[in-house]
Each structure stands twice: as structure tokens, then as C-alpha cells.
Amino acid sequence: MTMTRAVPHSGRATLLAVFIAFGGFLFGYDIGVISGCLIMPDFIDRFGERGSDGQMFLSPSRQSIITSLLSAGTFVGALGQAFTSDRFGRRGSILIWSAIFTVGVAIQTGTVRSIVQLTIGRFIAGLGVGALSAIVPLYNGETAPKALRGTFLVLYQLQIITGIFLSYVLDLATHSIKNSASWRVPVGLQLVWGLALLSGIFFLPESPRHLLGNNKVEEARRVIADLNAVPLDDPLVSETVSELQYALNEENAGGKATWAECFSSRNAMWKRTGNGMMLQFIQQLNGQNFYYYYGDTFFASSSVSLSPYVIQTILGAVSVAGTIPALYLIEAWGRRRSLLTGAILEAICAIIAGLVGHFTLAPPNTPLTHRNKQGGDTLIAFAVLHVFSFSIFWGPTPWVYLGEVGDNIDLMLTADCHLCTKYSLVYLGQSFPLRVRPKSIALGSATNWLWNFLLSFFAPRISNDIGPLILLIFFGMLIFGYVYVYLCIPETKGLSLEEVDELYRSGVKPWHSTGWTPRLNERFHETEKTNEERRSNEMAAATKSAA
């Protein structure tokens, strides 16, 4: 008797994804909020230095310390979560790091005049932000229905951008307050965000994958059934458990993976890990984070006609708007075309903004001429286009590319369920072990945080020396990025784990990879057809013999 399948619903899983993606909101908000604080009079008075004219000011070195300590914390937290996620589970790990983040925010908000206390608070908050930035996508990927995993990843990214935008809006709303509320309110509101995540411990389920890894099979079955809104005995539950268990067995096959294995020559692993790390490196030096971290300070020192708070709010709004076409273009254009197009568009914006700013902007605190105003308006226009282009192309694509191998196995497993086990057994053994994937992804993420820290530490010092010409550094990196993508990054759109492996082993040149056709699936189905014909002939012969 064939069991009737229930129709799965993703309502509860969607609500969980929206809630847990709030961790991305924390990350985005914390990045953006400090930018406006750096030019608030009360903030400068409390944490700045007294100049020779008797006025308080924030030197480039203090700006870099205040800003970069968050990034240093995120780097440590992103690595530290690997230990808590396995030991305490995804759910418990979210609780731990949300609490750490909340403590860091409380330390910052309660600071009176100590820059040491402020920076320590930002480092501690960064620990939580960095850990949550890694745990949230992991948790979403392990709890979301497979058909919605890509959408939930984009949702996380959208929350980051939304957090940045909201921080700019709040800075704009509070900057004119004459006392410490001007910066304490936008900074202290993060306590609400942290406490909201802490409350999730009361209704967040544990990841089914983590439960299976700890031999809690029945509990994993209940979570899967609940997230898909189907009965516990529905075939979907058993199939999902089988798929997850198979993936875990593959991940554990061969013992504990080493970091050196990520750079082995087997199946061109060194190329795959290296490409993921290089894309993260280039992404951080696109120039967008310079605007996010120091846009207010940069525009204020450039004497443009618009308020720097208004400019930052505009930049935040276009960042959110840029995610909309990204949802379509990432699949319609593919990874290579998106990255190549983005590099060219951003490079054009960077060089025009840098040169126009250098030759036309007035020194700070001087009357603006018509030429100065035109130059300022041009600089703002191309800064907006730069950030918008980043949000469409280089914002999402490196993260999609980094996680592509991990996601595509799920797409393969759902394509033809009755064949999935045999397909995996035939070909997964020929590809790199799944147990290596977490380390490869961790290396890519760590690269992102490392260069995020270096950029936030050195950018204000460089900008103080050369002004808008700092944008030419980003121009050079974008040109390098175009060349690197053209020569080294193959197109992986629509490929499964096995097909990505075949692509790298085939030796096809990246600039020819768009038209490359995988043979694994075709050969598999040819083999299946031959086997089915053989089995049919054997059954017919057996029937004839019995008769």
C-alpha cells in the first residue's frame, strides 16, 4: 500500500528564517552606526583629542582603532563559533553569542569618556557579530526546506543591508541632539536587537543535522516534520533523514579532515579554496566598505554641499534597492558575468569619483564655489552608483560562489529522489570529501574578516594623507579583480557538487566554462538505462524459465 504524501508547508520555517536572519541585521547595523558617530560633536568631545587650537578632534588613528576593533572581534568570533556550534548545538550557540554581543553593546553604551572602554565594548560586540554571521547562514541552511534555502540566504544578505540603512536613518535622526543621546540612542538600540535574539532560545528548534550528528534521530525527525508541517510518519521525513545521514557519513569518511587538505592537488582543491578566498579578498577592497565605515567622515572633510548624514542615508537606501535586481541576475547572468560586469562598473565609478574629488573639492571649512559644488555633486553621484553596483554584483556573488558546492548537493538530492542514493554512491567518492567543505568555507570567511579589519584600520590614515585619491586604490583592485575573475573563476551556475568537481578536473579554461557541458549526469543516466534493460531481460528470462 502506497502512503499518501502530505503537502509540505514552509510557514514555520519561513518565520524562523526571518527571525534568525536578524543576526545579519545586527552585523549590518553595527557596521553602519559607527560611521555617523565619528562626526557627532558630543562623541568627538568625549573620545577625541585636543588639538593645538584647543578644539577636540578625532585623529585618523583614533578613528581606525574605534572602527576596526569591531572587525577584529568578528574575525575571532567567526572562528570561535566553530567550537560552540558543535559542542552546544546551533541553538545553544546562538544564545551564547547573542549574550556576548549584548554585553559588548552595554559596555559601549555605558561608556562616559574612556576610549579604552569603548573599544573593548566594540571588540566584545564584534565577537558576537562575527559568530552570528557564520552561525545564522549555517542554521538557516540546515533548517530551511531545500527549495527555499537559496531564498533564505538572500534574505540574510538583505537583513545586513537593511541594518546598515536603518543605522544611517537613526544617525540622521539623532545627530543634532546636543548631548550624549546623539550617539547613545543609535548605539544603545542594539541592546533591543540582542535581547530579541536571546528570546529566540525559547522557540528555536535545534538543527536536524546537528541532532543526527549526536544520534538523536527521533528528535531530528520531529523537527523536520514540524518545519515542513507534515506528519511524523510522512515519507518526506524519512527521505530527509536518510539524505542528511548520508551526508554526515560522507563528511566523516576518512577520519578528521586537516586544513592542509583544503589546498591539496586532489580534484584541484587548492584552486577551489584559493578562488573562494581570493573573491572574498577582492570583495573587501571594492571600496564599498570605505563608504560604509567612513562615508560620513569622508564627505564631511570633502566639504560637499549635502549633509554627510543625508548622503549616507542615500547610500544605504540604494544598497537595499540593489539587492532586488541581484535576485534575478545572479541566476540569469551567472557568476562570471555578474563579477566581470560589477568590476567594470565599480572601477569606472571609483576612478571618476577619485579624480573629480581630488581636482574640484574645496578644503574643509572654506566657502564653496560653483565648481566645488559641481565636483561634490559628481562625487556623490558616482559614490551612489558605486555602492549600487556593488550591491547587485560583488555583494552577493562571492558568498554564493563560496557556498555553491555545499548548496548544490541538496539541489541534486531533490532532483530525482529514487535515484539520489545511487547517484551519490557512484560519484561522491570521486569528488572531494564533504568533510573538507566546512574548512574551505571557513577559510573564505576568515579572509573576508581579515581584510575587513585591515581596511577599517588603515583607510582613515590613508584618506587623511591623500583624500579622494584613496578611491584610485580601489580602482586598481577592481581592475585586478576583473583580470582574476576572467582568468581563474569558472562559471558554476546550475551545476551540482559532482559537476563542479568534474568542471575543475576537466581542465577547461574559465573563459570557456560558460559553454561547458557536464557529462556525469548523462553518463549516469546512460548507465541506469543499460542496467534497467539488463534487469528487465533477466526478469523476462527468469519468467520464461519458470514457465
Side-chain angles (χ1 to χ4, degrees):
M1 180 178 176
T2 303
M3 180 180 233
T4 303
R5 283 178 176 268
V7 179
H9 298 283
S10 57
R12 175 165 166 74
T14 301
L15 288 175
L16 283 177
V18 171
F19 175 81
I20 203 64
F22 207 62
F25 180 88
L26 292 182
F27 171 41
Y29 186 93
D30 213 25
I31 284 178
V33 74
I34 197 62
S35 177
C37 294
L38 293 176
I39 60 172
M40 291 179 181
D42 187 84
F43 190 88
I44 294 173
D45 181 64
R46 290 171 181 271
F47 306 112
E49 304 168 77
R50 192 171 301 278
S52 57
D53 58 357
Q55 299 295 314
M56 299 297 292
F57 75 104
L58 269 179
S59 64
S61 61
R62 288 209 172 196
Q63 289 180 35
S64 65
I65 289 294
I66 292 171
T67 304
S68 65
L69 260 290
L70 174 79
S71 299
T74 57
F75 177 78
V76 177
L79 296 177
Q81 64 78 30
F83 300 97
T84 61
S85 290
D86 287 335
R87 183 176 179 83
F88 302 106
R90 293 12 170 188
R91 181 172 174 264
S93 197
I94 289 171
L95 172 66
I96 292 169
W97 293 106
S98 297
I100 291 173
F101 168 80
T102 306
V103 169
V105 172
I107 292 173
Q108 294 176 68
T109 309
T111 305
V112 178
R113 289 187 177 274
S114 171
I115 190 172
V116 175
Q117 181 179 337
L118 179 71
T119 52
I120 288 175
R122 283 186 59 75
F123 179 82
I124 293 173
L127 293 174
V129 169
L132 289 169
S133 72
I135 298 170
V136 168
L138 177 67
Y139 182 86
N140 267 346
E142 293 180 352
T143 58
K146 284 173 286 191
L148 294 175
R149 284 178 186 169
T151 302
F152 287 174
L153 179 61
V154 174
L155 173 65
Y156 172 68
Q157 201 164 29
L158 181 60
Q159 290 271 40
I160 295 176
I161 302 294
T162 304
I164 293 174
F165 174 58
L166 182 59
S167 71
Y168 291 158
V169 171
L170 287 171
D171 281 347
L172 175 63
T174 65
H175 79 277
S176 59
I177 299 174
K178 302 300 182 183
N179 53 46
S180 65
S182 59
W183 59 271
R184 287 189 199 274
V185 170
V187 171
L189 270 176
Q190 295 175 100
L191 288 170
V192 178
W193 318 147
L195 292 172
L197 265 180
L198 279 171
S199 70
I201 195 66
F202 297 108
F203 60 89
L204 287 178
E206 183 52 84
S207 157
R209 192 177 188 278
H210 178 76
L211 292 171
L212 284 173
N214 287 275
N215 297 317
K216 298 179 179 179
V217 179
E218 287 306 311
E219 191 174 345
R221 290 176 61 86
R222 285 194 295 271
V223 171
I224 293 168
D226 187 38
L227 290 174
N228 290 276
V230 297
L232 192 60
D233 59 351
D234 191 84
L236 173 67
V237 176
S238 298
E239 289 170 2
T240 304
V241 168
S242 297
E243 293 167 9
L244 288 173
Q245 191 63 65
Y246 176 80
L248 284 168
N249 292 340
E250 282 294 317
E251 186 173 319
N252 295 326
K256 188 176 181 179
T258 64
W259 292 100
E261 194 172 346
C262 298
F263 299 96
S264 68
S265 60
R266 182 170 180 253
N267 294 329
M269 268 304 298
W270 67 274
K271 286 185 181 179
R272 299 158 81 161
T273 302
N275 280 344
M277 294 175 68
M278 282 299 297
L279 287 182
Q280 295 294 327
F281 159 63
I282 297 168
Q283 184 205 53
Q284 284 302 303
L285 295 181
N286 267 211
Q288 83 294 338
N289 274 349
F290 173 72
Y291 291 122
Y292 289 153
Y293 281 126
Y294 299 109
D296 287 307
T297 307
F298 176 68
F299 291 120
S301 65
S302 299
S303 296
V304 295
S305 55
L306 276 178
S307 161
Y309 293 102
V310 173
I311 299 170
Q312 284 295 81
T313 303
I314 293 171
L315 290 176
V318 300
S319 295
V320 175
T323 60
I324 298 173
L327 296 173
Y328 170 77
L329 292 175
I330 191 70
E331 294 299 338
W333 282 16
R335 288 43 165 164
R336 272 179 62 85
R337 187 177 176 186
S338 292
L339 292 171
L340 293 172
T341 303
I344 290 298
L345 291 178
E346 290 181 62
I348 292 171
C349 293
I351 193 169
I352 292 177
L355 293 176
V356 168
H358 177 70
F359 289 111
T360 66
L361 294 184
N365 304 316
T366 58
L368 298 181
T369 66
H370 178 67
R371 182 170 179 268
N372 297 148
K373 291 180 180 179
Q374 283 185 323
D377 291 342
T378 303
L379 172 62
I380 294 169
F382 279 96
V384 168
L385 289 173
H386 188 150
V387 171
F388 184 71
S389 299
F390 173 83
S391 299
I392 298 175
F393 301 114
W394 274 87
T397 308
W399 289 106
V400 171
Y401 192 91
L402 185 64
E404 194 103 54
V405 169
D407 291 337
N408 278 328
I409 184 169
D410 295 313
L411 297 177
M412 181 274 291
L413 287 171
T414 56
D416 195 349
C417 193
H418 75 279
L419 296 178
C420 65
T421 303
K422 284 185 284 185
Y423 191 103
S424 301
L425 289 173
V426 171
Y427 293 113
L428 273 178
Q430 299 173 10
S431 65
F432 72 90
L434 288 177
R435 60 200 176 89
V436 176
R437 176 166 51 93
K439 285 184 168 56
S440 294
I441 293 176
L443 286 168
S445 300
T447 302
N448 182 284
W449 290 120
L450 174 62
W451 285 97
N452 187 293
F453 165 72
L454 293 173
L455 173 70
S456 60
F457 185 81
F458 288 107
R461 303 162 188 261
I462 297 172
S463 179
N464 183 64
D465 291 337
I466 63 176
L469 289 180
I470 190 175
L471 296 173
L472 300 190
I473 297 175
F474 303 129
F475 166 77
M477 178 53 61
L478 287 160
I479 296 301
F480 168 76
Y482 181 93
V483 174
Y484 184 85
V485 170
Y486 185 83
L487 295 178
C488 301
I489 302 297
E491 181 56 70
T492 57
K493 180 185 74 171
L495 300 182
S496 71
L497 170 64
E498 290 76 22
E499 291 164 347
V500 170
D501 179 62
E502 183 189 2
L503 170 65
Y504 272 94
R505 286 189 288 107
S506 69
V508 64
K509 302 298 182 184
W511 53 91
H512 293 149
S513 61
T514 303
W516 179 79
T517 302
R519 292 280 298 162
L520 280 176
N521 190 43
E522 180 182 335
R523 290 200 298 268
F524 170 75
H525 285 289
E526 287 176 355
T527 302
E528 280 295 300
K529 183 178 179 181
T530 301
N531 290 339
E532 288 292 338
E533 290 176 352
R534 178 179 54 79
R535 285 192 292 268
S536 178
N537 291 336
E538 288 175 353
M539 289 179 63
T543 302
K544 183 177 180 180
S545 175

